[in-house]
């Protein structure tokens, strides 16, 4: 079996990965009910206690457009508190290893992050975003691509001077929900541009779930050929066709080591309705049915990677329990299959066995563990057609 070794076939595939959790920000932004501050704090804490060290916790944009994040300062105040730091210390977690990210699409949000940093409650890392398809970019940012690039360059200098990192997101790599097909070469160029103006790392995003596994493999191979430092690249997949697990696998095969996901596959476009009131969001939804909008599920991704034998640093069972709790918080069945079926058990599920197999084998004179008739030859005699190509 040596020649079929997975890592020999895909030599770039990592033995260890980092999986960031973005439930509390990206996951909750599409919900049309306000998720309580207490719940946001609970899931932030619990994900860190379960092993997460890269966590996206809020959006610092104007709460008028996204009131889901009107409690941003309360969340940041909590994670910077001595109480939370002591909770981490009691569990053997190095607080300094945790990276808290806030989304700051426009300069006003970056300025707000800097002011919070000066108050001692600012994030470690910010995130701005461009789309290679300009209509999608305009829907998210309200400005053109050239104008935004100049704004991003100013913002990166500001946030670096303030002691924070900036992540540059590249979206619509494999397609746009507004403009349709896109060219992957544009996304490679945009990744380079982010790094050239000082971004710390790049989130490569499939924001409409249009990626296919072959194109995911091609794209990340293109990226790593030109920018081989794997610490620079984060894979971000949305789920609209139930194929994002294939995208995860293709990214792994290409050599990507950093991923992000949400519990239950929550997330998507910011809600344009919250509780009993319409809100601005980013305008009309791109999809008619909200059941088909969201990210790759953290639970399923984690089980997939864990069962491949790739190290990840999480307590998988604890994450699965959190996924079940989140269904109560949200009030509906979410996308994860792993929270229902769990991990594959090597010992199987003997409680479902039908009684009587042992008696049947004794009746036929078969030994325990015998799987073929005793009179059959040791080596099967195969017909010639089996060897035709």
């Amino acid at each position: 079996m040596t020649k079929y070794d997975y890592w020999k076939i895909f030599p770039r595939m990592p033995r260890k990965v980092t999986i960031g959790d973005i439930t509390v920000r990206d996951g909750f932004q599409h919900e049309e009910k306000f998720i309580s501050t207490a719940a946001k704090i609970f899931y932030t804490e619990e994900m860190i206690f379960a092993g997460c060290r890269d966590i996206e916790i809020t959006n610092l944009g104007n709460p008028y457009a996204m009131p889901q994040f009107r409690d941003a300062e309360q969340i940041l105040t909590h994670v910077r508190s001595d109480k939370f730091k002591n909770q981490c210390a009691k569990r053997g977690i190095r607080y300094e290893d945790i990276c808290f990210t806030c989304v700051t699409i426009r300069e006003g949000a970056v300025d707000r992050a800097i002011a919070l940093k000066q108050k001692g409650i600012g994030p470690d890392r910010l995130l701005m975003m461009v789309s290679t398809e300009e209509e999608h970019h305009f829907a998210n940012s309200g400005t053109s691509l050239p104008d935004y690039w100049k704004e991003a360059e100013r913002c990166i200098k500001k946030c670096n001077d303030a002691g924070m990192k900036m992540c540059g997101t590249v979206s619509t790599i494999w397609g746009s929900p507004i403009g349709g097909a896109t060219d992957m070469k544009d996304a490679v160029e945009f990744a380079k541009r982010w790094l050239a103006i000082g971004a710390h790392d790049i989130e490569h995003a499939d924001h409409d779930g249009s990626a296919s596994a072959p194109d995911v493999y091609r794209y990340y191979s293109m990226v790593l050929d030109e920018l081989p430092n794997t610490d620079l690249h984060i894979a971000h997949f949305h789920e609209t066709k139930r194929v994002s697990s294939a995208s995860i696998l293709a990214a792994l095969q290409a050599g990507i080591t950093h991923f992000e996901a949400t519990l239950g596959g929550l997330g998507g476009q910011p809600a344009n309705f919250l509780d009993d009131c319409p809100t601005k969001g980013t305008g009309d939804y791109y999809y008619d049915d909200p059941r088909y909008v969201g990210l790759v599920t953290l639970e399923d991704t984690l089980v997939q990677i864990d069962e491949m034998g790739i190290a990840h640093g999480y307590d998988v069972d604890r994450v699965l329990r959190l996924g079940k709790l989140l269904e109560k918080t949200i009030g509906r069945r979410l996308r994860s299959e792993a929270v229902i079926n769990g991990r594959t058990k090597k010992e199987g599920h003997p409680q479902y066995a039908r009684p009587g197999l042992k008696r049947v084998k004794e009746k036929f004179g078969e030994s325990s563990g015998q799987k073929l008739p005793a009179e059959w030859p040791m080596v099967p005699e195969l017909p010639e057609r089996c060897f035709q190509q």
Side-chain angles (χ1 to χ4, degrees), residues 239-257:
E239 183 78 271
T240 57
K241 303 191 295 286
R242 300 298 281 171
V243 297
S244 61
S245 60
S247 295
I248 295 285
L249 179 59
L252 286 166
Q253 291 168 340
I256 293 300
T257 61

Side-chain angles (χ1 to χ4, degrees), residues 49-271:
F49 299 158
C52 181
R53 296 295 177 266
D54 294 274
I55 188 162
E56 198 172 279
I57 56 173
T58 195
N59 187 319
L60 292 175
N62 191 335
Y64 165 73
M66 284 176 282
Q68 183 67 257
F69 305 112
R70 61 182 182 242
D71 55 3
E73 291 193 30
Q74 290 169 267
I75 307 295
L76 284 163
T77 298
H78 177 78
V79 299
R80 294 305 187 198
S81 68
D82 289 339
K83 177 184 176 183
F84 178 63
K85 291 176 183 177
N86 290 334
Q87 287 178 295
C88 290
K90 287 177 182 177
R91 290 166 172 81
I93 297 169
R94 273 175 42 91
Y95 182 80
E96 298 77 15
D97 292 341
I98 306 168
C99 180
F100 295 103
T101 296
C102 291
V103 171
T104 54
I105 297 297
R106 298 304 303 270
E107 192 164 7
V110 173
D111 291 339
R112 184 183 178 194
I114 292 169
L116 293 170
K117 180 76 173 177
Q118 291 167 348
K119 289 172 60 176
I121 59 170
D124 302 300
R125 179 172 169 266
L126 310 180
L127 182 145
M128 297 183 76
M129 189 186 83
V130 295
S131 303
T132 61
E133 196 276 299
E134 199 163 22
E135 288 290 353
H136 185 266
H137 176 81
F138 179 71
N140 280 320
S141 69
T143 191
S144 69
L145 276 167
D147 181 65
Y148 190 86
W149 278 118
K150 290 185 284 186
E151 181 177 327
E153 186 174 27
R154 289 194 307 271
C155 289
I156 289 173
K157 185 177 187 311
K158 283 183 181 183
C159 88
N160 287 346
D161 288 347
M164 294 181 288
K165 300 170 183 175
M166 178 69 80
C167 173
T169 293
V170 179
S171 184
T172 62
I173 296 168
W174 296 276
S176 165
I178 300 174
T182 54
D183 189 337
M184 291 187 290
K185 291 179 182 177
D186 290 340
V188 177
E189 176 67 18
F190 277 25
K192 291 179 182 177
R193 294 292 178 175
W194 272 122
L195 294 168
I197 62 173
H200 175 75
D201 52 12
I202 310 297
E203 178 191 80
H204 304 265
D206 177 24
H207 275 147
D208 72 334
S210 62
S212 65
D215 278 343
V216 169
Y217 182 83
R218 290 186 194 103
Y219 173 72
Y220 284 117
S221 295
M222 289 162 59
V223 167
L224 289 173
D225 281 348
E226 300 209 30
L227 302 164
N229 181 354
T230 56
D231 287 340
L232 297 175
H233 310 293
I234 303 154
H236 176 110
F237 296 110
H238 280 229
E239 183 78 271
T240 57
K241 303 191 295 286
R242 300 298 281 171
V243 297
S244 61
S245 60
S247 295
I248 295 285
L249 179 59
L252 286 166
Q253 291 168 340
I256 293 300
T257 61
H258 292 253
F259 297 83
E260 54 191 19
T262 60
L263 288 167
L266 286 176
Q269 192 177 356

